[in-house]
Amino acid sequence: EVQLVQSGAEVRKPGESLKISCKGSGYTFTNYWIAWVRQMPGKGLEWMGIIYPGDSDTTYSPSFRGQVTISADKSISTAYLQWSSLKASDTAMYYCARGDCARCKLDPWGQGTPVTVSS
Amino acid sequence: QSALTQPASVSGSPGQSITISCTGTSSDIGGNNYVSWYQQHPGKAPKVMIYDVSNRPSGVSNRFSGSKSGNTASLTISGLQAEDEADYYCSSVTSSDTVIFGGGTKLTVV
């Protein structure tokens, strides 16, 4: 069974750094893309960016470029989303999802990682 | 990049059909056939229901169908069931090779 399992809930203070993870299983990790999607409380989905773990080719949404870093470690089939200095406005649920290609449907999705940034 | 435009809410009775629209521009919906629709139940991760405008993934009911005309895509759900009550999001690839989502539509089955 193809699965994406994300790391657990995080609580941080403004200005702190954070790295959350998304581990793929049940398929060849390096042959598919992994996208990250933000969902702020009570709001809609926002596409943040996508990475191809095979060669780390990465594309960011203009809204998120420079705000986050997407990376992957193919040796452990894991993709990451990281912040160097969190803001309260980063409080959200973050999902990872697999794509057959950079433009393809996202399926399946991880269970989500809730991030709370509060002083 | 502005979000694709969806109605905030739609409603229908069991057994009826409803259609959710998703309007973009020639730089996204109108410029390619990479339009997808996702269903999200409260507290759950999204699930793809339609991809590449009108294709259904294995396991998705044939009550769900998709189409596109110009800069507007549509999701139609026929034979509404209580379990269809959820939020629905459209998405499209853009001319910059990024992806943009719609604002979401809350479907209520009354």
Side-chain angles (χ1 to χ4, degrees), chain B residues 62-91:
Chain B
N62 60 9
R63 298 184 298 104
F64 291 82
S65 62
S67 63
K68 189 188 88 164
S69 177
N71 296 338
T72 298
S74 299
L75 172 71
T76 297
I77 309 173
S78 59
L80 268 181
Q81 299 180 359
E83 68 209 47
D84 299 332
E85 186 163 293
D87 293 327
Y88 290 85
Y89 295 91
C90 60
S91 75

Side-chain angles (χ1 to χ4, degrees), chain A residues 37 39 43-47 50 59-63 65 93 95 101-112, chain B residues 1 32 34 36 38 40 43-48 50-52 57 89 93-103:
Chain A
V37 176
Q39 187 167 38
K43 302 298 185 183
L45 305 176
E46 300 173 90
W47 189 87
I50 197 165
T59 300
Y60 292 93
S61 160
S63 301
R65 188 176 297 121
M93 179 71 81
Y95 293 101
C101 67
R103 295 172 161 221
C104 294
K105 69 182 186 303
L106 297 177
D107 180 46
W109 292 57
Q111 83 276 20
Chain B
Q1 287 175 316
N32 66 83
Y34 291 101
S36 298
Y38 298 89
Q40 187 180 34
K44 300 295 186 183
K47 172 189 173 185
V48 64
I50 296 289
Y51 68 98
D52 296 352
Y89 295 91
V93 170
T94 75
S95 56
S96 305
D97 261 351
T98 58
V99 172
I100 189 168
F101 282 99

